Each structure stands twice: as structure tokens, then as C-alpha cells.
Amino acid sequence: MPTTVTTDRPTTLITAPDSLTDPDTLTNHERQVLSAVGCGLRDDEIAAALALPEEAVAGHLARVLVKLGLRDRVAAVVHAFDCGLVVPGRGPRARAARPAARAVSVQKAPVQKAPAQKAPAQKASVQAISVRAVARPRVRISLLGPLQAWRGGRCLELGHLRQQAVLAALALGAGRRCLSQRELLDDVWGLEPPATNVVPVYIYRLRKALHDGCGSDGDDDRGGGGPDAVIVRGPRGYQLAPGAVDVDVARMEELVAGIGRADRAGDPLQALHLCCQAVELFRGEPLAGLPGPLAELERLRLVERRVAIVRRKVEWQLRLGQDAEAIDELFALSAAHPLNEPLAAMLMRALYRDGRQADALTVFERARRRLADDLGVPPSRLLRRAHQMILRGE
């Protein structure tokens, strides 16, 4: 039967209509699970709402990801919005102000029987997943630079670097996974764990820093986070409460997905616009100064992600005839990554296309010397081909 999510706002129908999700692709339960996931519900809440075992919900979600070719739970949420299952501002889950109001329940709207003298009553009923909730302020977390968090436009004090690294680990997994104490210790301390388990203490301090009103939980963290917690604890570990936090890394990935859609739709202006938005999210070196194995790996990944986005931006600029802007962008990026040969080759071609052959050859010579001095290797085939193309005047 159709599935709805109700908040204190008007009820929003989120059943996937046949035009959005092929019934032959997803079963009814799978459509219901995708709709609820799109609204930010956790597996245990979906299980309670649909009267299913939590393992069955996880199984349905896994099949949805496979059938729709989605990477993870975050991609499922984005897909639910993209195909219209969830309407921004009208469907996402909000947490209740009181624990008693947080219960997720399955309700059936009563069948309205018509009086005897009127036409027969319609036999329609609506099965609803209801979340009694109120809106609350969101916390914004930025990882694409030095770690920062804001609430209500006010920058929050997050404590020392190890404590910040714990929050960064949770933010990187937001919407996808819980992290156990052991996983947080491995991610933040690696092979040199602290003498005592300080994770619950850091979680307690971060909750206070994020102003989530959970100071009563105590250092041992048995309370699970309270009804308004930004950081919650479940059977599998800690996570950021779904719908409570905006993380710029997740926003960046949404923009990258939008760039791909604009590319496939043949809309270069939209693709370029989304590229610019994605690049503007970066405020410097991602996770700057944060310790731990996870921060080091993610820092490298996010730097490469930025380079890839800028390269796509430059490609669109060149296609649209914005050569000067593309060249400026490439000069800045090449200076930051002098050993990146694809960037050097792209800059050489852009300069040559702009009639600046001498400058293009200078870029090649500078890259050749840097590769020899720093790595002891000659230019790659890609760089040599760009050099030969310029020399031949092709």
C-alpha cells in the first residue's frame, strides 16, 4: 500500500510511483525501504515501522543498491530525492523534542464510510510510516579545509586536534556507517593507542561543544546521546544523527553526481556551474593538521578529488571558449601540484591553443626539470606527446 512519512508539517507521500521506479525492478517492500531511507530513517526505525526484522530491512536495502546500481546508503538518499520520492523541505526525518515523541509507528487511516443514501464508500486506506518530529537547528561541518563546525551561524570550539579527529571520522562516515570505539581508536591513533580508552570522554566533550544538550549523559556515555544529540550511540557504535548535520564532503559528492548528470544531458553551462560550486567548497588543504591514519588517507583522497574536479571545470571552460579563465585555473593548480603531468600537459595544450607556444614549451621544460630533480624520471609519454604536438604546430 502507499507509504507516507508524516511530521508536524503536512503529510508527504513518498511512495515511488510506477513512473519513477519500475515495479519489475523493485518489490513493494524495497520501494518502502528506499522511501524511508530517503527520509533519513535508521534501519531500526524502518523495521519498527514496517513490522520487519532489522536484518530484513538491511537485506532489502542491499538489493535496492544492487538493482539501482547505487554505491551506498548516501547514494540511495540522493536517488530518492532525484527521482522525486522525497521532496526537499517536506519529507526528511527530524528528531523529536521528547523521547516519547520519537517513536516510529505504522498507522492506517480509517476507511470513511458514506451514508446509506449516498454512493458506496471507497475502499481506500493508506498505510503510513509516521515520525512525530519537530524541526531543529542544523550543525554544519566542513572538512574541506581545517575542520570547522557552525551552529546557527556561530563557529564552534571543537577542542584539541585528537578530539577534532574523532569528529572528523564521524563526519566522514555520516549517513553511511557507525564507528565502534575500536574503529575510532584505529582511525585516530593507529598503532599508538592511548593508555586509557578516551573515546567516550571525547564524545561527551564533542556533544557539549556541538551544543546538543546532552551533558547529562556522563563520561561513560551510557545514555546513547539523548533525544536531541548530534552524536548518537547505537548497538554498532557512534554516528552523527541522521538529518542533524550538513557535511561539506557529502555536498561535494552530490555536486559531482550532478556534474555527471549535466554532462550526460549535454548541458555544459550547468556542468560548469556545478564544478564551480564544488571547487568553492574547498577552503584549503582538507583536514589540515588533523592526526591519524584516517585523516592522512582522506586528505590525499580529497586533494585528488579537488584536482579531478578542477580538471573537469577547465575542460568545460575550454569547450565554452573561456580560455583565459581556464589558463589561470591551470597555472594555479600546476603550481600547487608541480609533479602532476596530466595537469602540465593540459596547461601546455591550453597555452598553445591561446597562441602562446613559447609559454607552453616553458611549462614542458619546467616540468621536465622538476621530474628529473625530484623523482629522477623522464617526462611521461603523455607529456612528451603534448610537447611534440606543439613543436610540430599541430
Side-chain angles (χ1 to χ4, degrees), residues 305-353:
R305 197 66 160 152
R306 181 181 184 275
V307 171
I309 294 171
V310 173
R311 287 184 60 186
R312 295 185 72 174
K313 176 184 176 182
V314 168
E315 289 172 359
W316 286 113
Q317 287 175 322
L318 292 173
R319 292 187 194 182
L320 293 170
Q322 301 177 11
D323 291 11
E325 294 87 344
I327 289 171
D328 289 344
E329 197 88 52
L330 284 170
F331 263 124
L333 198 60
S334 295
H337 304 277
L339 299 176
N340 190 311
E341 294 181 82
L343 279 180
M346 183 178 286
L347 176 57
M348 290 167 60
R349 289 193 295 269
L351 288 167
Y352 177 66
R353 170 175 164 167

Side-chain angles (χ1 to χ4, degrees), residues 66-107:
V66 171
K67 289 181 179 181
L68 298 182
L70 302 174
R71 182 181 57 192
D72 52 25
R73 192 185 191 96
V74 174
V77 173
V78 174
H79 179 81
F81 276 87
D82 287 344
C83 69
L85 269 70
V86 180
V87 179
R90 295 180 59 193
R93 167 187 179 273
R95 297 178 68 82
R98 299 184 303 274
R102 285 190 298 160
V104 181
S105 62
V106 178
Q107 299 180 346

Side-chain angles (χ1 to χ4, degrees), residues 6-24:
T6 14
T7 65
D8 287 344
R9 301 169 180 166
T11 300
T12 301
L13 184 66
I14 60 169
T15 296
D18 292 346
S19 59
L20 295 175
T21 306
D22 185 352
D24 294 333

Side-chain angles (χ1 to χ4, degrees), residues 75 82 131 150 223 228 268 271 297 332:
D82 287 344
V131 182
W150 299 266
D228 292 321
L297 289 173

Side-chain angles (χ1 to χ4, degrees), residues 95 99 102 136 203-204 207-208 211-218 220-234 237-239 241:
R95 297 178 68 82
R102 285 190 298 160
R136 66 177 187 183
I203 295 294
Y204 173 78
R207 284 176 175 160
K208 291 177 69 69
H211 286 196
D212 53 30
C214 298
S216 61
D217 287 347
D220 62 359
D221 194 41
R222 289 189 295 264
D228 292 321
V230 173
I231 302 174
V232 296
R233 182 183 181 185
Y238 299 100
Q239 68 175 135

Side-chain angles (χ1 to χ4, degrees), residues 18 40 47 91 124 135 147 156 176 180 182 190 210 261 280 289 295 297 308 330 332 341 355 370 379 394:
D18 292 346
L147 177 66
L156 304 176
R176 292 180 293 153
S180 67
R182 170 49 56 191
L210 295 171
R261 289 193 295 271
E280 288 171 359
L297 289 173
L330 284 170
E341 294 181 82
R370 188 66 182 263
E394 296 178 354

